[in-house]
Amino acid sequence: MRHYEVAIVLHPDLEIDLENVLKKVEKIFTDLGAKVNKKDNWGKKRLAYKINKQDWGIYVFYELEIEPANVREINSRLRITEEVMRYLIVSIEDIKYLKKPKIRPITKKGESKDKN
């Protein structure tokens, strides 16, 4: 199981009945064996550019644990879900690997790293 973050932009008119749409999206995840660790609803925000003639969108972020083989299926199901305007799936483990700091040994001036 790997950790993924899924960012979803939903149609702004769904603000009234948002819970049913979120249940539908979460059902997509759980049907494929994903475990939802965290859900963060940012609410209705202005988009940087128009999507499907819409200036606004509802942003929802999920953190999931799922097998990498099932990510492709999530991708295809979100693509055909009418309520979802845009989505992005990112592996959190890959991001943590890229941000890993490089540690160098600290030495005093004039002192060599190798002591023979």
Side-chain angles (χ1 to χ4, degrees):
M1 298 282 258
R2 293 188 68 179
H3 295 270
Y4 291 90
E5 183 174 83
V6 181
I8 298 175
V9 179
L10 299 169
H11 197 280
D13 295 343
L14 299 171
E15 191 174 32
I16 298 167
D17 194 24
L18 187 61
E19 285 305 314
N20 288 335
V21 176
L22 295 180
K23 285 179 187 176
K24 181 178 179 180
V25 171
E26 290 169 14
K27 186 174 182 340
I28 292 172
F29 299 150
T30 55
D31 286 350
L32 294 169
K35 178 184 172 194
V36 178
N37 292 334
K38 186 178 173 185
K39 177 174 93 171
D40 192 12
N41 184 351
W42 283 16
K44 193 173 181 180
K45 303 278 184 190
R46 188 167 186 81
L47 300 172
Y49 56 91
K50 286 188 178 190
I51 301 174
N52 300 335
K53 300 180 183 178
Q54 297 294 324
D55 289 324
W56 297 83
I58 301 170
Y59 287 78
V60 183
F61 294 88
Y62 290 95
E63 282 187 18
L64 306 175
E65 279 184 56
I66 190 168
E67 292 295 330
N70 293 340
V71 174
R72 180 175 287 153
E73 184 64 26
I74 287 177
N75 191 19
S76 64
R77 288 189 187 184
L78 287 177
R79 184 179 304 127
I80 62 173
T81 304
E82 294 176 6
E83 297 88 358
V84 176
M85 295 195 311
R86 290 284 191 276
Y87 64 93
L88 179 66
I89 303 171
V90 179
S91 172
I92 296 176
E93 292 169 357
D94 292 342
I95 293 172
K96 288 180 183 175
Y97 175 74
L98 292 174
K99 290 185 177 180
K100 195 174 192 180
K102 295 180 182 178
I103 300 173
R104 294 182 182 170
I106 300 173
T107 60
K108 295 179 184 176
K109 286 186 178 182
E111 194 176 300
S112 173
K113 291 183 198 175
D114 297 327
K115 292 183 180 180
N116 289 332

